[in-house]
Amino acid sequence: MRAPPPSPSPAVARTGFSELQPDLVGEIHGRLSFLDRLAFVAVSSAASRDALKPEPPWLVLPGDTPETATVFSLADRRTATVRASDPAMRGHVIIGSSGSWIVTADERGRMRLANPVTGEQGELPAITTIPFRGRMRLANPVTGEQGELPAITTIPFVNATSPGGHHFIMDMEPFVHIRYRGDHESWPHPYGTFTHTAEDIRLWFYRKVVLSASPRPGDYAAMLLLDSYFGAPAFATAGDGRWRVAPSRDGVEDAIHHGGKFLSVTYTGTVEAWERRGGDDGEFTSENTNGGGVKKGYFEVQVFDEMTQRWEAAEDIGELAILVGVNSSVCVSTAKHPELKGGCVYYTDDEIGKAWLRREYGYSNSKPSVGVYSLKDGNVMSIPGLGEHLSWPPPAWFTPSFR
């Protein structure tokens, strides 16, 4: 007797990648290697990226060609080559980063915002009719989005020699009037004008750009720190379209954005909080944050208690790691990211002008452009897995966001 034919197999349901549940998408992404995570993001929809787990900071370094950049993952201790967003990252120097966005400046002093790993790009709307010279660029090394910040010629005392010129002239008298609130005797240098070539602007006029948390094209606030000779900060917002210089007798050395405010430290060690007063047309003004001052040339760890609103001296930072440089400083928990060492400062070279001099004239450099400093024993260590790399333009930290 012949055996009966086999019963037909039940239909197998097929699910497309776009139909996967967000939690499952996030789980898959978290199990992939560094390079595979980058490829995964490149084919993911914008909606599915919301489920991806946060990454510890990455380092963006110069690529082997002008068309590429190198990114280094602290968690994976591996590098990857990505396409450099055009124009935001080609021939540009990074002068700031906040979250997943980086701010770049080209040889004309033009600054831009960009987001470069997946290749997506988007321009910010036009926000000024000032000639294009002296703009900033912001980029996101993950999504490829980019946009522009206002031209520096919107600063009252900065003037381009001509729309197509190669020099910027700074009129020092109105600058001093703004910085010192009319107290001209506080300015220790001669008056008159100060001239920078367009190339020098990104080396000796800009110090750093700090962005508001999670900036987006058309929705951001930015704080431009001028080089130590000028010292004062300037502020811009997406809806304003110009830089507004703010008074600062002691000068601002560094700043971050936290809790809806810009927090800065002066060259005399005073910590200040900056907020905009009076709506969209108002000025940014500062208030002292109850101490925090440190003597110049003296190193001390202080922790700000948000409950008591007071600064308190501490022996170290425990299991935390801090990443500093031209980026907006980042504090990372090594309990969540055990690939990093607690009680350490991960640093990059933040003296862009001096880095250029070392490259141009072969000056010796006593410290590496990237390293790890232990607060506990004072040792300086290399970053595991990084290896040899190009040091111009100087590398910078950023925290990738795939959302």
Side-chain angles (χ1 to χ4, degrees):
M1 179 181 291
R2 299 177 60 184
S7 302
S9 300
V12 177
R14 296 182 180 274
T15 302
F17 179 79
S18 62
E19 298 173 330
L20 295 178
Q21 294 295 317
D23 290 346
L24 182 57
V25 172
E27 186 67 24
I28 294 172
H29 180 263
R31 293 175 179 268
L32 298 176
S33 67
F34 178 41
L35 294 176
D36 289 338
R37 291 202 305 277
L38 289 176
F40 186 91
V41 171
V43 299
S44 300
S45 66
S48 64
R49 290 179 191 168
D50 288 340
L52 305 185
K53 297 178 180 178
E55 293 263 351
W58 290 3
L59 192 64
V60 59
L61 305 113
D64 293 330
T65 68
E67 295 76 26
T68 62
T70 299
V71 290
F72 174 78
S73 167
L74 282 173
D76 298 82
R77 298 181 178 179
R78 295 189 62 182
T79 60
T81 299
V82 297
R83 184 180 65 85
S85 299
D86 185 19
M89 293 186 66
R90 299 192 182 183
H92 287 59
V93 172
I94 299 175
I95 59 171
S97 76
S98 295
S100 57
W101 290 89
I102 61 175
V103 184
T104 66
D106 68 8
E107 70 281 356
R108 298 287 187 183
R110 292 175 291 198
M111 297 181 278
R112 193 172 180 85
L113 309 103
N115 192 335
V117 173
T118 65
E120 300 173 49
Q121 299 187 27
E123 293 292 333
L124 282 174
I127 52 178
T128 179
T129 57
I130 298 296
F132 187 61
R133 300 295 179 192
R135 285 189 179 275
M136 292 186 235
R137 306 189 176 199
L138 174 152
N140 186 313
V142 175
T143 68
E145 296 171 280
Q146 39 182 303
E148 293 172 9
L149 291 170
I152 61 163
T153 46
T154 59
I155 296 176
F157 64 90
V158 179
N159 301 284
T161 53
S162 66
H166 299 279
H167 293 80
F168 291 93
I169 299 175
M170 289 73 175
D171 189 346
M172 299 309 297
E173 186 169 357
F175 163 72
V176 172
H177 186 81
I178 295 173
R179 177 176 171 179
Y180 294 100
R181 299 183 184 274
D183 181 10
H184 290 209
E185 294 183 0
S186 297
W187 179 247
H189 306 291
Y191 283 119
T193 60
F194 193 101
T195 301
H196 268 314
T197 66
E199 170 70 21
D200 284 345
I201 285 291
R202 66 181 183 180
L203 304 178
W204 308 111
F205 186 64
Y206 303 149
R207 175 170 174 79
K208 175 187 286 191
V209 175
V210 180
L211 302 170
S212 55
S214 302
R216 302 290 299 174
D219 182 17
Y220 67 86
M223 182 180 188
L224 169 62
L225 309 187
L226 301 181
D227 191 70
S228 58
Y229 181 87
F230 297 91
F235 297 88
T237 61
D240 193 357
R242 59 174 171 160
W243 290 104
R244 298 170 181 251
V245 178
S248 179
R249 179 173 294 275
D250 295 336
V252 175
E253 183 173 11
D254 203 357
I256 62 171
H257 188 271
H258 176 73
K261 302 177 182 179
F262 289 101
L263 302 176
S264 67
V265 59
T266 70
Y267 284 96
T268 58
T270 301
V271 178
E272 298 174 315
W274 297 82
E275 288 187 279
R276 193 170 198 175
R277 313 287 181 180
D280 292 340
D281 294 328
E283 303 287 340
F284 280 84
T285 59
S286 66
E287 292 182 352
N288 191 302
T289 61
N290 295 326
V294 178
K295 295 179 181 179
K296 192 173 183 62
Y298 178 75
F299 179 81
E300 180 181 78
V301 176
Q302 294 193 9
V303 178
F304 184 69
D305 189 324
E306 292 189 315
M307 294 294 293
T308 64
Q309 295 290 297
R310 297 188 62 84
W311 291 91
E312 298 178 0
E315 294 184 1
D316 57 44
I317 55 175
E319 53 89 22
L320 299 176
I322 298 176
L323 293 90
V324 300
V326 295
N327 58 289
S328 184
S329 301
V330 179
C331 186
V332 177
S333 168
T334 59
K336 295 181 179 179
H337 299 291
E339 306 86 0
L340 280 69
K341 291 178 65 68
C344 290
V345 177
Y346 289 69
Y347 67 84
T348 62
D349 193 345
D350 64 350
E351 297 179 310
I352 297 173
K354 292 182 179 179
W356 179 83
L357 288 174
R358 288 192 292 268
R359 168 183 175 269
E360 195 73 7
Y361 299 105
Y363 292 166
S364 62
N365 185 8
S366 59
K367 69 174 184 178
S369 61
V370 182
V372 184
Y373 174 75
S374 173
L375 293 172
K376 297 178 181 178
D377 54 30
N379 289 332
V380 176
M381 302 162 282
S382 60
I383 295 178
L386 181 57
E388 294 186 1
H389 57 85
L390 298 173
S391 58
W392 178 263
W397 302 109
F398 71 99
T399 304
S401 173
F402 299 120
R403 299 183 176 184

